[in-house]
């Protein structure tokens, strides 16, 4: 991935619903004019699952967790104690973005660099044993003591690339976020959401991510 000229950093301190978290990601993807990263948390234990996954795979968790279908692919991811983040790479003026594999690997290498413990990137795909994302390391996932602790899912459109990731380590120091951002780009600017973006996200949450139609579409 070519060096980024600047990175916009959104450190979202508000605990949000599962639907609103997904909606903010999509709303930000619609308007981002520079590479951006958003860090965020969940108001209660939640579970996200990939766009192509079946709702039946997660339905049994509905009483214990807020459920949401992601716009990205991938498997089933529990949320609550993890640190969740989204990286957005907009494609402007016909600019060609790096391949999804390159983006995946370089974002995860930035996590490896920023972690306060020794970590490595997986060198190959492990055999799939479950629909749970963190049971199946794939190439360039982040491993600590051989266990997958960071994975992600992506969606690419003409507007750019959306990368949604989870780091399954509790109590990461807040300084990790700045170290992660710095490993992605030496020049970063802290940003806040505009009222217009939040209004758009509320619309997406109400009309899409929070609906039974979206949740059970497969």
């Amino acid at each position: 991935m070519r060096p980024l000229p600047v990175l916009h950093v959104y450190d979202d301190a508000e605990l949000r619903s599962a639907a609103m978290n997904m909606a903010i990601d999509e709303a930000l993807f619609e308007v981002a004019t520079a590479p951006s990263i958003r860090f965020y948390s969940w108001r209660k234990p939640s579970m996200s699952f990939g766009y192509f996954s079946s709702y039946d795979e997660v339905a049994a968790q509905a009483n214990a967790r807020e459920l949401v279908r992601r716009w990205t692919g991938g498997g089933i991811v529990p949320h609550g104690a993890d640190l969740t983040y989204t990286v957005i790479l907009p494609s402007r003026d016909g600019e060609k973005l790096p391949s999804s594999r390159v983006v995946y690997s370089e974002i995860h290498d930035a996590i490896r660099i920023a972690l306060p413990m020794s970590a490595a990137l997986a060198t190959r795909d492990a055999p799939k044993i479950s629909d749970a994302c963190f049971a199946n390391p794939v190439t360039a996932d982040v491993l600590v003591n051989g266990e997958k602790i960071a994975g992600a899912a992506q969606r690419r459109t003409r507007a750019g690339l959306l990368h949604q990731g989870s780091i399954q380590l509790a109590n990461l120091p807040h300084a990790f976020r700045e170290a992660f951002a710095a490993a992605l780009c030496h020049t970063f600017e802290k940003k806040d959401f505009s009222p217009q973006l939040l209004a758009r996200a509320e619309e997406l949450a109400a009309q899409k991510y929070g609906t039974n139609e979206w949740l059970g579409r497969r």
Side-chain angles (χ1 to χ4, degrees):
M1 190 166 69
R2 69 198 182 288
L4 302 176
V6 66
L7 180 70
H8 290 173
V9 179
Y10 296 84
D11 195 350
D12 189 356
E14 184 167 341
L15 300 179
R16 302 187 189 274
S17 69
M20 190 64 175
N21 271 330
M22 296 299 96
I24 290 176
D25 279 356
E26 185 172 345
L28 187 58
F29 185 65
E30 290 177 348
V31 300
T33 58
S36 304
I37 187 168
R38 172 186 171 229
F39 296 104
Y40 56 101
S41 302
W42 309 75
R43 70 179 182 185
K44 61 175 62 175
S46 301
M47 180 172 284
S48 69
F49 58 105
Y51 179 80
F52 299 103
S53 299
S54 168
Y55 175 72
D56 291 343
E57 297 168 355
V58 298
Q61 294 288 328
N63 291 330
R65 293 178 179 269
E66 283 191 1
L67 302 180
V68 67
R69 182 184 295 277
R70 296 189 304 273
W71 196 32
T72 53
I76 299 166
V77 182
H79 301 291
D82 63 329
L83 173 62
T84 324
Y85 71 93
T86 294
V87 173
I88 292 170
L89 299 177
S91 179
R92 303 298 181 201
D93 302 320
E95 176 186 23
K96 185 176 181 180
L97 294 174
S99 72
S100 297
R101 282 184 176 271
V102 167
V103 172
Y104 194 95
S105 178
E106 296 206 3
I107 291 174
H108 278 193
D109 199 45
I111 292 173
R112 180 193 64 80
I113 292 167
L115 282 172
M117 74 281 291
S118 179
L121 300 188
T123 58
R124 62 183 183 275
D125 293 357
K128 184 176 179 179
I129 61 174
S130 169
D131 289 318
C133 174
F134 283 81
N136 313 294
V138 300
T139 302
D141 278 342
V142 185
L143 309 177
V144 171
N145 297 324
E147 298 291 326
K148 176 176 176 176
I149 60 93
Q154 297 178 339
R155 186 179 186 96
R156 182 185 289 265
T157 75
R158 291 182 180 179
L161 188 143
L162 174 70
H163 173 108
Q164 294 178 313
S166 171
I167 304 171
Q168 297 278 324
L169 289 174
N171 302 316
L172 274 172
H174 197 272
F176 166 80
R177 304 180 187 203
E178 187 165 318
F180 181 12
L184 287 171
C185 181
H186 294 304
T187 304
F188 56 89
E189 300 175 4
K190 295 183 178 181
K191 297 285 186 178
D192 295 316
F193 301 129
S194 68
Q196 293 81 5
L197 186 142
L198 290 175
R200 172 58 176 155
E202 288 171 358
E203 178 182 56
L204 286 166
Q207 298 180 4
K208 182 177 179 179
Y209 292 103
T211 67
N212 290 332
E213 180 182 6
W214 174 259
L215 198 65
R217 62 181 296 139
R218 295 177 185 273

